[in-house]
């Protein structure tokens, strides 16, 4: 049974959000999507963000990945003040620190699956050029796509594309993986496989933050944050499966 | 490069072949237009100038009583003379199998073809050289008026009224000869041995002098010419019948040439501007389309600078391809263009290679302009925050529903859905719309202006018709008895009225002792009904005038002292007269003319008689007029009056129209080029719109849209842009064509009347409708081929 406990407030938090506010000012009137979020996440945690449509889940994860900027508040990740970085530094930092998985996969259509995975290493100059392909193949093997390496993304099924996208997110071996509804477009069996992959990664001490609609998934993550109207209204922490 | 990001660049180029071809073509069009126009202009001027300066153009030309070699030698030794030569020239009538009516030929007899030192003559296509007795070599411009062939014979009427056959043995080129199409008279070169056969004496009657010094002024040339006339000719009792000192260093077609080159320059700058727009438009659209991918790349760690280089690299590849296409294409078209120009302007081209700076400019347009054009959109694209890039739909949907445009569109509620949708699309992409519209509007304005310039030239010629109240004119070899010729001519069937004029060359003596040459004085009855002068100032000639003259605008322009109320000294027939300028009339495209009463002019000249008879005929049909004129000429010859040339006003109008037609031809080339740039621009825009709307199209197909509706959407959008460009262009065409006409008029030194061409506006409406449809059909076809599956899968 899930057991509600208070969040760990140790100083060693990998990721810390303090009073993060996001106001969208498009449209007729400004809209406050995040109303002062405080959140700590530690290394090796598998965090699920759940909530109704429009509650602010995507907005929140975009704050963490630096894809969007907060209107107010601080975001410190592994000692880096993400909220104060410029676009350019953000890109470099993100490339090495956070792997991003999108709801709609977002593989580049003109590159093969393998090339899509090499691309982040190329951008961040990680590993020697010759090693990159090797590493990309390893990653593809991990996601069981080695046989699809030289196909274009359009020739893959949705689940395969999502797994390729996860491999890409892991390309630079980032400590954090952020995924916005990674299983939203997949059938339950494929979704299960992706989830299993995430669990294996957590075992390898990756920190994973995942937005999901799926209650089933939400119940399987170690820590679940319930977002409603731009606020974290509830937190549950599951007893770890492999001891504590 | 191995890096995967460069592989993406190449892969994008290859997998979006249609887009690549389009972008490359757009840029290549700019390279092409600039290359053809700027290169064409440079080559034209360079080749013309080099041939002209190598031709030893004359600085003074004297028509005299016969003289021989010692005079030529004296002229050559005269200080300040670079070269001098004598020749025998005469104007004769001839018949030729290729033409029904007799034609005029200016026969030039040259004693030694190896000793031509002034006005170089280059044999081009000859069976033998030089011409022997009974042979003639035609100046090659003759080929522009008739299909003369080697071996044809010309039946020349000699001065004694006999007929002599001359065989054409080839064609030669003299850049200084007035091309046949401009004066309605060919030039033929014969040997001295042929002259007696033609009833001419074997002696020189024309002295050509080239003066030394490259920066000779008109004044210096006139002064030296007077000295030579006095010391070399008159001192040796050689009577000078007429002389001519052209503006040093300027070819007789120089003004037309200047106008053409000015037009080309204007066109060159315009095409540079247009191709710039085209490139900016294409590249910004490309970036807009890539914005989401930019977002993805940034999300996975791509830095703005890395992504910027990728896209600049992509644009550079487009540029290199465009240069590879545009350079040879413009070289080819430029060669065709120069051939055409060299044909009508009658000069030889030694090299079709454009100067290096033109090539550099082409490379610049192909490479640098796209990169500069790309810089801003690429920078904006790579600076866009990732979240904005993801939310980008190519349109700012937030603002829709608020703008003026939308309210305007709201007025058309009755429109069918697809039409309303496409209009909405057109206006949504405001930036691109602005650029496309600018390009197409500019092209439209130029095309419609060209129509108006052409209409203005037509108006100018119509105005000539208003001035001419006669149908044909006969000129005599020497002053001839008026009553005698008028009796013969007026009794010719078809002739309803005659009037005879006296024409004489005049020189104006300025107060400072210098002279101005090149005026023609006409003596005509003051109450003439054969011309209808358009008075600009002062008054026309009157019955009791004693020293009154009326000048035309050309004369006034050439010599500002010929102003109303001024008394000036004219030297006519060797006598100096003080005349009083009483009126200014509009010029008639026939040079600097001074009019006075016939009796008055007759009294000033030693030789009595008229030099031309003007004829009114019963028919308004040019062929009938020509017939009556030929009949009158035959009767005059029968009565032993020597005719030197005949022409109907219709023929003259044709000649003038031909000359101005050169300008029109160049203008049309200009218009076509610009229209092409516009078409490619519009096609590009439409295609990019289709690519951008792929998902939207797929969705529409999914909910049941037929091929027809998809076509309707894109063609309506194309037409909307076309018609807007037409309206803006039409408004701009008025000031533009007015300016262009002024410019031309200034350049060729002829006052041109102005007429706005409503026909052009109407015609362009039709043409732009066709162009818009044509530019949208290919993109619309692509759109109709979009499958629902592709659309949904799209990126
Ligand atoms: N660019 C924007 N401009 C204005 N309002 C926005 C913008 N993006 C999101 N919002 C609003 O902010 C709120 C939170 O949006 P968000 O995308 O974070 O929701 P979500 O929880 O991810 O929903 P879903 O489960 O449907 O993906 C929503 O009410 C939405 O309307
Ligand atoms: Mg969301």
């Amino acid at each position: 049974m899930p057991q509600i406990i208070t969040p760990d407030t140790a100083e060693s938090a990998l990721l810390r959000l303090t009073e993060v506010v996001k106001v969208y000012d498009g449209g007729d009137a400004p809209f406050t999507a995040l109303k002062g979020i405080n959140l700590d996440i530690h290394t090796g945690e598998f965090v699920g963000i759940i909530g109704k449509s429009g509650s602010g889940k995507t907005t929140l994860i975009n704050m963490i990945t630096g894809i969007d900027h907060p209107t107010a508040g601080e975001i410190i990740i592994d000692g880096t003040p993400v909220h104060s970085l410029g676009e350019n530094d953000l890109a470099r930092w993100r490339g090495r620190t956070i792997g991003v998985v999108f709801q709609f996969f977002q593989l580049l259509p003109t590159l093969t699956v393998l090339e899509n995975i090499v691309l982040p290493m190329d951008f961040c100059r990680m590993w020697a050029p010759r090693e990159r392909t090797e590493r990309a193949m390893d990653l593809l093997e991990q996601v069981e796509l080695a046989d699809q390496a030289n196909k274009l993304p359009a020739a893959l099924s949705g689940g395969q594309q999502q797994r390729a996208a996860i491999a890409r997110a892991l390309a630079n071996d980032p400590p954090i993986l952020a995924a916005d509804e990674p299983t939203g477009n997949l059938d339950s069996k494929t979704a299960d496989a992706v989830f299993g992959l995430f669990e294996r990664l957590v075992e390898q001490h990756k920190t994973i933050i995942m937005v999901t609609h799926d209650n089933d998934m939400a119940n399987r993550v170690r820590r679940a944050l319930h977002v409603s109207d731009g606020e974290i209204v509830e937190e549950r922490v599951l007893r770890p499966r492999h001891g504590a | 490069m191995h890096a995967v990001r460069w592989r993406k660049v190449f892969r994008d180029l290859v997998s979006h072949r249609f887009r690549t071809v389009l972008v490359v073509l757009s840029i290549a069009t700019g390279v092409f237009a600039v290359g053809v126009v700027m290169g064409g202009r440079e080559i034209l001027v360079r080749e013309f100038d080099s041939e002209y300066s190598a031709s030893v153009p004359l600085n003074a030309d004297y028509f005299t009583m016969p003289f021989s070699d010692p005079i030529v030698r004296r002229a050559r030794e005269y200080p300040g003379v670079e070269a001098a030569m004598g020749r025998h020239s005469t104007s004769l009538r001839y018949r030729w199998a290729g033409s029904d009516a007799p034609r005029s030929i200016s026969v030039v007899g040259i004693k030694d073809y190896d000793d031509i030192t002034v006005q170089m003559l280059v044999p081009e296509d000859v069976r033998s050289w030089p011409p022997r007795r009974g042979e003639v070599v035609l100046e090659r411009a003759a080929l522009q008026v008739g299909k003369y062939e080697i071996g044809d014979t010309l039946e020349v009427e000699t001065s004694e009224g006999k007929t002599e056959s001359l065989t054409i043995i080839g064609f030669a080129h003299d850049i200084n000869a007035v091309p046949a199409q401009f004066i309605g008279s060919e030039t033929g070169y014969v040997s001295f041995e042929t002259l007696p056969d033609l009833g001419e004496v074997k002696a020189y009657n024309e002295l050509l002098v080239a003066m030394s010094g490259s920066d000779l002024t008109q004044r210096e040339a006139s002064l030296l010419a007077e000295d030579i006339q006095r010391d070399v000719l008159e001192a040796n009792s050689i009577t000078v019948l007429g002389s001519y000192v052209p503006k040093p260093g300027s070819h007789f077609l120089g003004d037309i040439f200047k106008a053409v080159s000015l037009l080309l320059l204007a066109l060159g700058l315009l095409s540079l501007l247009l191709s710039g727009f085209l490139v900016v438009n294409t590249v910004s659209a490309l970036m807009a389309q890539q914005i989401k991918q930019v977002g993805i790349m940034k999300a996975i760690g791509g830095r703005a600078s890395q992504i910027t280089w990728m896209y600049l690299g992509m644009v550079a590849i487009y540029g290199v391809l465009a240069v590879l296409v545009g350079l040879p294409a413009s070289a080819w078209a430029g060669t065709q263009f120069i051939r055409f120009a060299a044909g009508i302007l009658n000069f030889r081209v030694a090299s079709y290679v454009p100067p290096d700076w033109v090539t550099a400019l082409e490379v610049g347009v192909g490479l640098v302009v796209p990169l500069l054009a790309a810089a801003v959109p690429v920078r904006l694209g790579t600076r866009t925050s990732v979240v904005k890039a993801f939310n980008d739909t190519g349109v700012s949907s937030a603002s829709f529903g608020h703008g003026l445009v939308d309210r305007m569109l709201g007025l058309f509620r009755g429109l069918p859905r697809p039409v309303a949708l496409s209009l909405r699309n057109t206006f949504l992409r405001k930036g691109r719309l602005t650029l496309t519209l600018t390009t197409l509007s500019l092209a439209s304005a130029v095309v419609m202006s060209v129509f108006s310039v052409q209409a203005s030239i037509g108006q100018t010629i119509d105005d000539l018709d208003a001035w001419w109240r006669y149908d044909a004119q006969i000129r005599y070899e020497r002053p001839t008895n008026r009553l005698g010729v008028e009796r013969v001519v007026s009794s010719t069937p078809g002739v309803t009225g005659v009037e005879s004029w006296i024409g004489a060359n005049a020189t104006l003596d300025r107060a400072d002792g210098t002279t101005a040459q090149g005026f023609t004085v006409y003596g005509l009855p003051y109450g003439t009904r054969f011309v209808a002068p358009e008075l600009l100032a002062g008054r026309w000639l009157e019955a009791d005038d004693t020293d009154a003259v009326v000048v035309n605008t050309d004369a006034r322009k050439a010599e500002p002292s010929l102003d109303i109320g001024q008394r000036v000294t004219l030297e006519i027939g060797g006598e100096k007269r003080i005349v009083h300028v009483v009126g200014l009339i509009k010029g008639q495209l026939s040079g600097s003319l001074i009019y006075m009463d016939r009796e008055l002019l007759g009294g000033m000249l030693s030789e009595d008689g008229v030099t031309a008879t003007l004829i009114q005929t019963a028919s308004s049909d040019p062929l009938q007029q020509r017939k009556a004129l030929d009949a009158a000429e035959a009767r005059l010859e029968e009565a032993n009056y020597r005719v030197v040339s005949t022409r109907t006003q219709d023929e003259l109008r044709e000649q003038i129209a031909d000359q101005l037609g050169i300008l029109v031809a160049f203008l049309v080339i200009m218009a076509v080029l610009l229209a092409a740039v516009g078409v490619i621009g519009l096609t590009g825009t439409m295609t990019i719109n289709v690519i951008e709307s792929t998902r939207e199209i797929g969705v529409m197909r999914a909910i049941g849209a037929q091929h027809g509706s998809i076509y309707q959407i894109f063609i309506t959008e194309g037409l909307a842009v076309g018609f807007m460009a037409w309206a803006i262009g039409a408004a701009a065409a008025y000031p533009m064509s007015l300016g262009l006409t002024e410019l031309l008029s200034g350049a060729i030194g002829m006052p041109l009347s102005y007429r706005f061409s409503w026909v052009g506006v109407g015609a362009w409406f039709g043409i732009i409708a066709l162009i818009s449809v044509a530019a949208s059909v290919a993109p619309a076809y692509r759109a109709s081929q979009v499958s629902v599956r592709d659309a949904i899968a799209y990126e």
Side-chain angles (χ1 to χ4, degrees), chain A residues 24 31 33 52-59 181 213, chain B residues 391:
Chain A
Y24 289 112
F31 180 83
K52 285 200 313 247
S53 177
S55 55
K57 303 182 297 294
T58 299
T59 309
E181 301 194 33
H213 258 123
Chain B
N391 293 337

Side-chain angles (χ1 to χ4, degrees), chain A residues 87-88 94 110 115 123, chain B residues 5 7 11-12 298 304 306:
Chain A
E87 275 292 316
N88 225 6
R94 189 191 306 117
T110 52
E115 287 165 341
F123 277 134
Chain B
R5 57 177 189 275
R7 227 177 288 166
R11 214 61 72 63
D12 279 357
K298 289 179 76 169
Q306 289 173 321

Side-chain angles (χ1 to χ4, degrees), chain A residues 62 67-68 87-88 91-92 94-95 100 102 106 108-112 115 118-120 122-125 168, chain B residues 3-5 7-8 11-12 15 293 296-304 306 310 384-387 390 795:
Chain A
N62 281 352
I67 280 177
D68 205 355
E87 275 292 316
N88 225 6
R92 197 197 325 236
R94 189 191 306 117
V100 184
F102 307 94
Q106 312 288 14
L108 295 182
T110 52
L111 291 180
T112 63
E115 287 165 341
V118 174
L119 192 60
D122 184 31
F123 277 134
C124 294
R125 305 216 176 83
R168 182 179 65 184
Chain B
V4 176
R5 57 177 189 275
R7 227 177 288 166
K8 166 172 159 47
R11 214 61 72 63
D12 279 357
S15 63
Q293 296 202 24
I296 299 171
M297 287 189 286
K298 289 179 76 169
I300 60 170
R303 267 170 292 141
Q306 289 173 321
M310 285 171 69
T384 313
S385 75
V386 179
V387 70
F390 274 110
E795 285 174 19

Side-chain angles (χ1 to χ4, degrees), chain A residues 58-166:
Chain A
T58 299
T59 309
L60 177 58
I61 204 162
N62 281 352
M63 296 297 121
I64 294 170
T65 54
I67 280 177
D68 205 355
H69 298 273
T71 312
E74 285 189 350
I75 302 164
I76 314 263
I77 298 179
D78 204 10
T80 307
V82 178
H83 57 278
S84 62
L85 289 186
E87 275 292 316
N88 225 6
D89 294 329
L90 256 179
R92 197 197 325 236
W93 166 82
R94 189 191 306 117
R96 294 173 185 237
T97 319
I98 302 192
V100 184
V101 181
F102 307 94
Q103 185 173 1
F104 292 101
F105 328 137
Q106 312 288 14
L107 296 168
L108 295 182
T110 52
L111 291 180
T112 63
V113 170
L114 186 71
E115 287 165 341
N116 261 288
I117 293 160
V118 174
L119 192 60
M121 310 185 222
D122 184 31
F123 277 134
C124 294
R125 305 216 176 83
M126 299 284 273
W127 292 279
R130 243 173 283 117
E131 287 169 42
R132 290 175 189 165
T133 317
E134 225 167 280
R135 179 174 163 74
M137 276 312 291
D138 284 351
L139 288 167
L140 279 175
E141 245 149 56
Q142 271 193 50
V143 298
E144 288 160 32
L145 275 180
D147 50 338
Q148 311 286 331
N150 293 316
K151 286 190 179 171
L152 288 177
L156 266 58
S157 76
Q160 289 171 324
Q161 288 192 42
Q162 190 61 299
R163 277 184 280 149
I166 293 168

